[in-house]
Amino acid sequence: MDYPNLEVLVKALLAQGHKVEAVKKVRQVTGWGLKASKDYVDVLASGADFPPEAVSADISVVDYTVFSDAELLAALEYAGEAPHPDLIRACLAHQEALTPGLLALLEAGTDLEWPDSDPRWYAEVHAGLLLCAFREPAALPVFARRLREEDSDELVEWFEDALPYYYGPLAIPMLVELLNIQDAYVYPSIVACQMLVYIVLHHPEVQTHVIAALRQHLPQVDADGNLLLAEAQRNKSSILWTQIVSAFMDLQYDGDDARVKALFDAGVLDTVILGDWKAYRAAFAPDAPPLWDAGHVYDIEEDYEERYEEAQGLILRVPTGPLPLPPIFPPASDEITFVRTVPKVGRNDPCPCGSGRKYKHCCEKKA
């Protein structure tokens, strides 16, 4: 028998120096006597695991509804990557009381001195996702600062669905600001572009505004259709231009063909992602399949349920059939052009491998 959830809370309280509160919580949750509860806390304080055969009560699922606000924050901070969904539900029910603490966790970030096994590495993730679900406006400037940090890509991935879905148009000013970043670290601008697409697909009324913001970042062309830009700008901005052109395809906007074609002709777009100019134009054909399925939405409770089940080994990957293998050698030709023949797989779509799980929780991690 395993007691992960109670252990999480007790260790969190111990880390904060609240041993007496930890003993009280053990008694409250388990119904044990004082001695048994103190023994349990002492064993965990020593760094050992409590022997399952020493107790008989089944406390594998904790009643988080009886936790105080401070206890919920402590449990969340030390919950690790996959907290029990009941903890998330309890936090969702305490929006007003928990918001200041969640903002502090998101602002604080992580400590590089923590060992890899420290569960607090995920505290900022849980705080950020809950603040998204609360649509907390005070969190938007915090997100902007955190997303601008170097090496923020791993953190950003946790919020790339939740932030645009829950905030919707409220997030546009912050995302446009990220899009306008001029420094060498272009990743925040790329993520901002992706989130803006997500918002437009769920809020079509803002498409004109978002398209205008994206168009500002494409270079101008001369009368002959040649790009007007310096070589340094070309090298720096090609990744962002690729993302913007991809956004045009997703949003079915083809009102800037002259500049887009000039970018293709100059060889500064990533054709592995976009295909060539012909593939780009084919995406706007009346019978072209949609490149992005806007029908799926993000749900924080569903996300945590799947994450918890995966951590507990309750989700099995059972492919329905073998996947085709790519050829060992490319076709013999002087020029290889990638042409997209199938729509993009959304992160919330069923995985093409046939596992029955969402793509973002399955083969996307292998891509």
Side-chain angles (χ1 to χ4, degrees):
M1 189 178 298
D2 190 17
Y3 313 109
N5 299 298
L6 186 61
E7 288 184 13
V8 165
L9 177 61
V10 170
K11 290 178 179 178
L13 292 172
L14 289 172
Q16 297 175 350
H18 302 316
K19 184 174 181 180
V20 173
E21 287 81 356
V23 173
K24 290 180 179 178
K25 182 54 63 177
V26 172
R27 296 190 68 185
Q28 179 185 30
V29 171
T30 66
W32 297 344
L34 178 61
K35 184 178 186 306
S37 299
K38 289 179 64 178
D39 289 344
Y40 181 85
V41 172
D42 287 340
V43 170
L44 293 181
S46 70
D49 293 325
F50 198 78
E53 63 273 9
V55 297
S56 58
D58 183 359
I59 55 172
S60 58
V61 177
V62 174
D63 182 6
Y64 290 106
T65 63
V66 301
F67 282 24
S68 68
D69 298 329
E71 289 168 343
L72 286 173
L73 279 174
L76 191 72
E77 184 177 5
Y78 285 83
E81 181 177 1
H84 197 285
D86 287 348
L87 172 57
I88 302 303
R89 295 188 187 97
C91 290
L92 289 170
H94 290 247
Q95 175 176 346
E96 183 176 356
L98 295 186
T99 292
L102 296 174
L103 286 168
L105 286 176
L106 180 62
E107 184 77 70
T110 56
D111 188 337
L112 296 180
E113 298 298 321
W114 291 343
D116 291 343
S117 59
D118 196 310
R120 289 175 293 175
W121 284 106
Y122 295 93
E124 61 180 352
V125 172
H126 307 318
L129 290 174
L130 284 166
L131 290 167
C132 287
F134 294 160
R135 296 180 174 86
E136 174 54 49
L140 286 174
V142 183
F143 278 120
R145 288 194 296 273
R146 294 303 316 279
L147 299 184
R148 289 190 64 165
E149 295 173 358
E150 291 281 352
D151 302 322
S152 64
D153 48 327
E154 292 185 5
L155 177 65
V156 170
E157 289 177 359
W158 293 96
F159 305 132
E160 60 186 1
D161 287 344
L163 193 153
Y165 175 70
Y166 282 118
Y167 282 105
L170 290 175
I172 290 178
M174 182 268 284
L175 295 174
V176 170
E177 180 183 346
L178 287 177
L179 197 64
N180 293 334
I181 293 175
Q182 297 297 319
D183 56 33
Y185 187 51
V186 72
Y187 188 76
S189 299
I190 295 173
V191 172
C193 185
Q194 294 171 340
M195 290 185 180
L196 287 168
V197 169
Y198 192 112
I199 291 172
V200 171
L201 291 174
H202 289 86
H203 301 272
E205 70 277 8
V206 301
Q207 174 157 333
T208 300
H209 175 58
V210 169
I211 289 292
L214 296 176
R215 293 184 66 228
Q216 290 181 3
H217 294 274
L218 292 182
Q220 298 298 321
V221 297
D222 61 21
D224 297 322
N226 301 312
L227 294 179
L228 298 174
L229 73 166
E231 190 67 28
Q233 183 185 3
R234 178 184 308 220
N235 295 335
K236 171 185 172 182
S237 304
S238 61
I239 299 174
L240 178 59
W241 293 334
T242 296
Q243 192 63 51
I244 291 173
V245 172
S246 177
F248 288 171
M249 297 167 72
D250 293 328
L251 301 178
Q252 289 293 285
Y253 170 76
D254 61 351
D256 233 325
D257 275 5
R259 289 195 288 179
V260 172
K261 189 174 189 308
L263 288 168
F264 274 108
D265 291 343
V268 295
L269 297 178
D270 189 340
T271 55
V272 173
I273 295 176
L274 301 173
D276 57 13
W277 168 252
K278 182 179 179 181
Y280 171 78
R281 288 305 311 156
F284 299 95
D287 57 347
L291 299 177
W292 191 317
D293 185 357
H296 292 283
V297 298
Y298 177 85
D299 183 277
I300 188 172
E301 292 187 42
E302 180 182 310
D303 185 11
Y304 275 99
E305 286 170 359
E306 291 186 358
R307 196 184 311 174
Y308 181 77
E309 290 174 357
E310 182 176 8
Q312 299 299 312
L314 300 178
I315 295 180
L316 301 179
R317 298 185 180 184
V318 184
T320 57
L323 297 176
L325 297 176
I328 298 177
F329 300 103
S333 66
D334 295 332
E335 186 174 350
I336 301 173
T337 300
F338 174 84
V339 178
R340 187 187 303 278
T341 58
V342 296
K344 291 181 181 178
V345 180
R347 298 185 73 247
N348 288 308
D349 292 348
C351 189
C353 77
S355 67
R357 303 173 66 242
K358 288 187 178 182
Y359 176 60
K360 67 182 180 182
H361 293 306
C362 194
C363 289
E364 185 189 44
K365 298 178 179 180
K366 306 174 186 177

